[in-house]
Amino acid sequence: MKIRIKPSTGEQLFVYVDVNRTEMVENARKAVASAYEEASGKSTSIDQFSLIYQGKQLADGMRLFDYGVKHGDTFLLHLRAPIEMPASTPDNSTLEAGDSSSGSVASVSLSESPSGETVANDGAENESEEPVKCDHCDNGPTSHCNYCGCYYCGMKDDEHHTLACDECGRFYHMRCLPEPLTTVPEGDWYCEFCKTDLSNAVIGEQKLDLTNSRKSKMPSAKQKKAWGGGMACAGTTKTCTIVPKDHAGSIPGVHVGQSWKYRIHVSESGIHRPPVGGIAGSSTKPAVSIVLAGGYPEDVDKGDEFVYTGSGGYDLSGNKRQAKVQTFDQELTRQNRSLAMACAAPVNDQKGAVAKDWRASSPIRVCRSYKAAKMHPEYAPTEGVRYDGLYRIVKYWKEKGVSGFCVWRYLFRRDDPEPAPWTEEGKKHIEELGLTLYNPDTTCDGRTGLAKGSPSKSSLKRKADDDDDSAASKARRFQPGPELQELIRLDKENSRLWANMSESEYATESGYLEALAEGHLGCPICQELVQKPVTTPCGHNICNPCLCKSMDQYGVICPICRSDIASMGSIADLKLQMNQNLVTILKALIPSYGKEWMTPPKITETQYGLRSGAAVKK
């Protein structure tokens, strides 16, 4: 990651340093010192540098991760001035130091010890030290005083066994303490009034001790199973930007029969966004995708038709995350309601409804998991999760399930132009497209990517097979069709972009679209696929509203390369500009592109007459 360093001296100098989040603070300071010396031309020492982040000074022995440092954060560089020692006089006899507050001068003489070392002598040894007088007892040797004697008994005897508190300065006999001592303690000692309980405090850079915390006493803290090591807990590394999150219908570039090893990769592809849940939807929008994993005994799968059971009915509170018995009725809320909203019929919370025209229902992407093979092995994949195409809901109803509690059931019917993957035609279609199981090089702990041991013979053989598959995929690499090639040729403003795309090899259409949407045509401001794209004179594509906002705040410069784009005109002129050739290309690649902002052309009178069959009067 890259961090920005700003000196605290006020000089207009910004230094950018590439560091790792797990880097130690002392190593980061060395990298910052080297970058600062190179940028400023000043020669400094590493001991003079201090890094301050969010009001905290970074201490050696800690990592940047301990302070929550993220990419793009700004650090304040505090440069301490070197300590200059006073120069010695030519005769090495006397040094004089002026006191600015009182104007007095202190004389210090330097003498030479028998060993040859120079020793400072300020004359203090020649002067007799005057004892400090007590204002309460006037230093009476036999008088009882709690100020200059023992705080408890007031006596001034037994000086060898008398302790002085390092905080308040009061004196205490070791025998008079609430817990008497027999030996003089080493190091600092504090009385009972100044002693502080530091058992629950974080001192310096120490970590918080949670051994006696509330969570440490919960049942989950005593479990021996290592939770959080599976792929479901790994977290997504990318997000599908080709279509919006609530897009209904097929995903451009993803064909029927495509399969993935883990659910997390299905989420990254955009086919089914939830990495764990079986229904992608909410109580306010229709569902867009589901996963069949054989979770309910009421499920019935016949391939082109299946009966799907809604979610809920299980008690998952506390540590009952793997409950197997339904304990209460399902309700038509949340994901269950989103499935009902996808049916072409009014939502009925009591009995359900039947679609008058089931093809008018909202399309839902359906994936089948290998777990569904327990009940319906003829339609489930043998490994991973497979995309089986678009289905529509015919009807939904409420009935009593196997457990005796009510469940919501939905009848799905297939409505996809591509053949089903379990048919002979579908298997041939998968082979022609070269669709294989997506299984990136990672372990079960997908967060680290570290191998858990030396490679076995089976893993080496599997790697050789993967090399053969990669060679075969290169032979079947994706090539844009002739019509798309002609549209690309007309886009002269992005000739460099399309030249780079043609030089790279993509095994599938989804890989081609992913590289285009996330790499070349991703807006640097909103981090999404460009909408109403504007191509700058320097060859960058940015959303029209985003570029107008950038020009309004930072001037007529490109947000990426900072080059002058005054030739594009003012903001008022820019609002009317759009690269129509690029819009046509994206519309050909992604049919749903621009449906939110693109206005269809008006139908002329002649076209209206031809469509309606009426004669047009001239």
Side-chain angles (χ1 to χ4, degrees):
M1 66 178 181
K2 182 174 289 187
I3 59 176
R4 189 174 78 160
I5 307 300
K6 179 182 179 182
S8 62
T9 56
E11 54 183 326
Q12 297 297 323
L13 177 64
F14 294 95
V15 182
Y16 294 88
V17 183
D18 289 327
V19 293
N20 197 307
R21 293 189 67 192
T22 59
E23 193 70 61
M24 303 297 292
V25 171
E26 52 267 29
N27 297 334
R29 287 174 57 228
K30 293 180 182 178
V32 170
S34 177
Y36 177 77
E37 291 180 358
E38 182 179 355
S40 62
K42 300 178 182 178
S43 179
T44 55
S45 174
I46 186 64
D47 298 332
Q48 298 178 239
F49 285 95
S50 296
L51 294 179
I52 300 176
Y53 174 71
Q54 293 184 352
K56 299 185 290 291
Q57 180 176 337
L58 275 62
D60 294 347
M62 306 290 287
R63 300 182 183 272
L64 297 180
F65 177 81
D66 299 331
Y67 294 93
V69 178
K70 302 182 292 297
H71 174 74
D73 286 348
T74 301
F75 285 71
L76 186 64
L77 175 62
H78 179 64
L79 186 61
R80 296 188 297 272
I83 302 175
E84 297 182 359
M85 299 298 296
S88 59
T89 58
D91 56 354
N92 292 333
S93 58
T94 306
L95 293 177
E96 293 185 356
D99 189 352
S100 58
S101 60
S102 61
S104 62
V105 177
S107 175
V108 182
S109 63
L110 298 179
S111 60
E112 201 171 284
S113 64
S115 60
E117 298 179 353
T118 302
V119 180
N121 183 11
D122 57 357
E125 297 178 356
N126 299 330
E127 299 180 2
S128 59
E129 296 183 358
E130 296 182 2
V132 180
K133 294 184 178 181
C134 177
D135 297 335
H136 301 276
C137 67
D138 198 18
N139 291 358
T142 58
S143 59
H144 290 67
C145 181
N146 297 105
Y147 295 93
C148 62
C150 177
Y151 183 78
Y152 289 107
C153 65
M155 298 294 293
K156 304 175 183 177
D157 60 337
D158 198 5
E159 294 184 359
H160 296 288
H161 295 87
T162 301
L163 303 178
C165 177
D166 290 320
E167 180 67 24
C168 61
R170 291 192 288 252
F171 300 98
Y172 299 88
H173 285 146
M174 294 172 56
R175 65 176 184 270
C176 297
L177 294 174
E179 296 180 3
L181 299 176
T182 57
T183 58
V184 178
E186 298 180 359
D188 297 340
W189 180 84
Y190 301 95
C191 64
E192 60 174 334
F193 306 103
C194 300
K195 186 177 180 181
T196 305
D197 184 14
L198 303 177
S199 59
N200 295 324
V202 181
I203 306 174
E205 289 103 19
Q206 296 180 6
K207 295 183 178 180
L208 184 63
D209 185 12
L210 300 177
T211 54
N212 296 323
S213 64
R214 178 181 176 184
K215 288 188 176 181
S216 64
K217 301 177 183 179
M218 297 177 65
S220 58
K222 302 177 182 180
Q223 294 180 355
K224 297 182 179 180
K225 183 175 180 180
W227 295 96
M231 287 300 299
C233 302
T236 57
T237 58
K238 58 183 180 180
T239 304
C240 178
T241 58
I242 300 175
V243 294
K245 183 178 181 180
D246 56 352
H247 171 73
S250 58
I251 304 296
V254 181
H255 299 276
V256 174
Q258 176 66 55
S259 56
W260 299 265
K261 177 68 174 179
Y262 300 106
R263 281 280 301 273
I264 195 70
H265 302 135
V266 183
S267 175
E268 294 175 351
S269 67
I271 286 292
H272 185 72
R273 304 263 181 167
V276 178
I279 304 174
S282 63
S283 58
T284 58
K285 295 182 180 180
V288 294
S289 62
I290 63 171
V291 173
L292 292 176
Y296 289 85
E298 294 87 359
D299 291 347
V300 178
D301 193 355
K302 297 181 180 179
D304 290 339
E305 280 189 358
F306 64 86
V307 177
Y308 185 78
T309 306
S311 62
Y314 291 90
D315 183 12
L316 302 179
S317 61
N319 58 354
K320 304 174 184 178
R321 298 300 300 173
Q322 296 180 342
K324 299 297 183 182
V325 180
Q326 186 175 348
T327 55
F328 54 88
D329 295 339
Q330 290 184 357
E331 298 179 357
L332 197 66
T333 57
R334 304 177 67 179
Q335 285 80 10
N336 293 343
R337 190 175 186 85
S338 68
L339 288 176
M341 295 174 64
C343 181
V347 178
N348 191 322
D349 298 343
Q350 303 298 326
K351 299 180 180 179
V354 181
K356 295 181 179 180
D357 182 11
W358 67 273
R359 293 185 183 274
S361 299
S362 179
I364 297 178
R365 299 183 295 272
V366 174
C367 297
R368 282 182 171 87
S369 172
Y370 73 96
K371 297 179 181 179
K374 297 178 181 179
M375 301 176 62
H376 308 284
E378 61 273 19
Y379 304 110
T382 57
E383 186 179 9
V385 183
R386 184 188 64 205
Y387 173 54
D388 289 350
L390 299 178
Y391 285 71
R392 300 180 189 268
I393 297 180
V394 179
K395 62 178 180 178
Y396 66 97
W397 66 98
K398 185 178 183 181
E399 67 177 27
K400 186 170 291 188
V402 177
S403 60
F405 294 94
C406 293
V407 295
W408 283 96
R409 310 192 69 188
Y410 306 84
L411 175 61
F412 283 75
R413 187 170 295 166
R414 196 171 190 275
D415 184 27
D416 198 293
E418 293 187 290
W422 56 83
T423 62
E424 294 297 330
E425 185 181 0
K427 295 177 181 177
K428 184 179 179 180
H429 181 68
I430 294 174
E431 185 177 357
E432 291 176 353
L433 295 177
L435 303 179
T436 57
L437 180 69
Y438 180 77
N439 182 16
D441 296 333
T442 182
T443 61
C444 291
D445 186 7
R447 297 167 296 179
T448 60
L450 300 177
K452 293 188 176 181
S454 58
S456 59
K457 293 182 179 179
S458 59
S459 63
L460 294 176
K461 182 179 182 301
R462 185 165 56 252
K463 185 178 184 301
D465 296 339
D466 293 341
D467 293 339
D468 295 340
D469 294 340
S470 62
S473 63
K474 287 183 179 179
R476 295 188 300 264
R477 68 188 186 96
F478 173 77
Q479 290 286 353
E483 297 180 358
L484 186 59
Q485 290 283 5
E486 179 61 21
L487 295 176
I488 291 175
R489 187 186 65 81
L490 296 175
D491 189 13
K492 301 295 184 181
E493 298 176 348
N494 290 306
S495 57
R496 183 178 60 181
L497 183 153
W498 300 117
N500 294 335
M501 290 293 295
S502 62
E503 292 175 359
S504 304
E505 295 184 353
Y506 303 96
T508 59
E509 183 181 354
S510 60
Y512 182 86
L513 290 177
E514 181 179 333
L516 192 64
E518 298 182 2
H520 299 282
L521 293 180
C523 178
I525 299 177
C526 65
Q527 302 297 318
E528 299 289 341
L529 179 64
V530 287
Q531 305 292 327
K532 298 183 181 180
V534 177
T535 305
T536 61
C538 49
H540 297 112
N541 295 280
I542 309 170
C543 300
N544 191 306
C546 296
L547 184 57
C548 291
K549 186 181 297 184
S550 175
M551 291 178 62
D552 184 34
Q553 295 181 358
Y554 304 105
V556 286
I557 57 175
C558 177
I560 302 178
C561 63
R562 304 297 181 185
S563 60
D564 187 13
I565 56 174
S567 59
M568 301 183 67
S570 62
I571 298 179
D573 299 331
L574 185 63
K575 290 182 179 180
L576 303 177
Q577 297 182 21
M578 189 166 56
N579 189 345
Q580 191 60 46
N581 290 327
L582 182 58
V583 172
T584 307
I585 295 172
L586 291 175
K587 188 68 177 177
L589 291 171
I590 308 172
S592 61
Y593 177 78
K595 66 178 182 179
E596 296 87 1
W597 50 266
M598 189 178 298
T599 56
K602 294 182 179 180
I603 301 176
T604 62
E605 185 179 355
T606 304
Q607 292 174 334
Y608 180 79
L610 293 175
R611 294 184 183 184
S612 61
V616 179
K617 296 181 180 180
K618 296 184 180 180

